[in-house]
Amino acid sequence: MENFIAWNFNKNKAVLLVIDMQNDFVKEGAIMEVPMARRNLPNMKKILDSCRQHHIPVIFTTHVLFDEYEVSPLEVAYQPWLKKEGMRSGTLGVQVVDELKPLPSEITIQKHRYDAFYNTQLETIIRNIRGAGIVDTVIITGTVTNVCCESTARSAFMRDFKVVFVGDACGGFDDASHQATLTVIDKVFGRVMSTEELIQQIEKN
């Protein structure tokens, strides 16, 4: 079973997902600060640049809450400080960090659950962004590794998408949960690659 690879990566059938790399997660002192996301930001930028260079479509997600009502009530119940602030629609905190700023032609999907597929247009966009039925692989980068990134990876797998999960281009709250997610993804839900390995795969195809 060692070195077994269930499928090969084809850049011409892939899209890049940049999950929730917004100011309220990445900036120092932010309400939902994830230092690992900030630390791995250079790797995310390398992947973003490579995908753009090789015409791999890029889709961003942002996690959005509202002042008017609790659009994600159980999330807020577990994290009560979000009742008053954080990831609010229309604020700077919900915007993607400048280092990864979406191009005007790139799509940003707002979501209200950890799983980026849940009640969003993500699946429809992925299945058509390169032409109907062409995309079969999603590359996942961003934050939080064991929350939104993992939830989205599992959901992609359930929809029969191949998952490339870039271990050093995701950011977790801590090393233990980050590594646990990488172990689970690599065994069951996808292929864990490093930034260097993914870029090599992109450049050789």
Side-chain angles (χ1 to χ4, degrees):
M1 292 290 290
E2 286 189 31
N3 301 320
F4 174 75
I5 297 176
W7 46 264
N8 294 316
F9 175 78
N10 183 345
K11 72 178 181 184
N12 298 311
K13 295 184 176 183
V15 298
L16 172 65
L17 301 185
V18 182
I19 304 293
D20 298 357
M21 284 299 290
Q22 55 208 78
N23 290 310
D24 273 347
F25 283 110
V26 181
K27 294 299 184 182
E28 189 170 356
I31 189 168
M32 292 294 292
E33 181 184 4
V34 184
M36 192 187 299
R38 189 166 57 249
R39 186 176 77 217
N40 289 342
L41 185 54
N43 287 337
M44 299 180 207
K45 182 68 164 63
K46 288 178 185 177
I47 293 168
L48 178 61
D49 290 343
S50 180
C51 285
R52 286 171 172 168
Q53 180 182 353
H54 290 271
H55 309 292
I56 296 173
V58 182
I59 302 170
F60 295 82
T61 73
T62 56
H63 198 71
V64 180
L65 303 177
F66 301 135
D67 281 332
E68 293 78 11
Y69 63 96
E70 292 178 2
V71 69
S72 185
L74 285 176
E75 176 183 2
V76 173
Y78 282 104
Q79 300 168 103
W81 54 91
L82 293 177
K83 287 180 179 289
K84 294 185 177 180
E85 61 178 330
M87 298 179 286
R88 287 309 196 266
S89 178
T91 67
L92 182 63
V94 85
Q95 295 179 13
V96 175
V97 294
D98 288 342
E99 294 89 338
L100 304 176
K101 186 175 181 179
L103 299 176
S105 59
E106 292 170 342
I107 294 168
T108 300
I109 290 178
Q110 290 191 356
K111 64 185 184 65
H112 311 297
R113 294 293 185 276
Y114 302 140
D115 173 5
F117 286 94
Y118 184 81
N119 277 350
T120 73
Q121 316 99 308
L122 181 58
E123 183 173 1
T124 298
I125 290 170
I126 289 174
R127 293 196 185 281
N128 293 281
I129 197 167
R130 302 193 78 150
I134 292 177
V135 171
D136 68 3
T137 304
V138 296
I139 303 164
I140 293 183
T141 64
T143 199
V144 176
T145 304
N146 63 310
V147 185
C148 294
C149 295
E150 181 175 349
S151 296
T152 301
R154 287 170 178 255
S155 195
F157 173 87
M158 300 303 177
R159 289 166 169 80
D160 296 319
F161 290 116
K162 302 168 185 175
V163 174
V164 174
F165 202 96
V166 191
D168 60 358
C170 290
F173 285 124
D174 55 77
D175 288 333
S177 63
H178 178 82
Q179 291 299 326
T181 288
L182 300 188
T183 298
V184 171
I185 294 294
D186 208 35
K187 285 184 176 180
V188 183
F189 294 107
R191 291 179 60 186
V192 173
M193 295 188 189
S194 67
T195 296
E196 181 180 359
E197 182 182 1
L198 175 60
I199 290 176
Q200 286 176 350
Q201 291 281 325
I202 290 172
E203 291 180 349
K204 80 175 186 180
N205 282 300

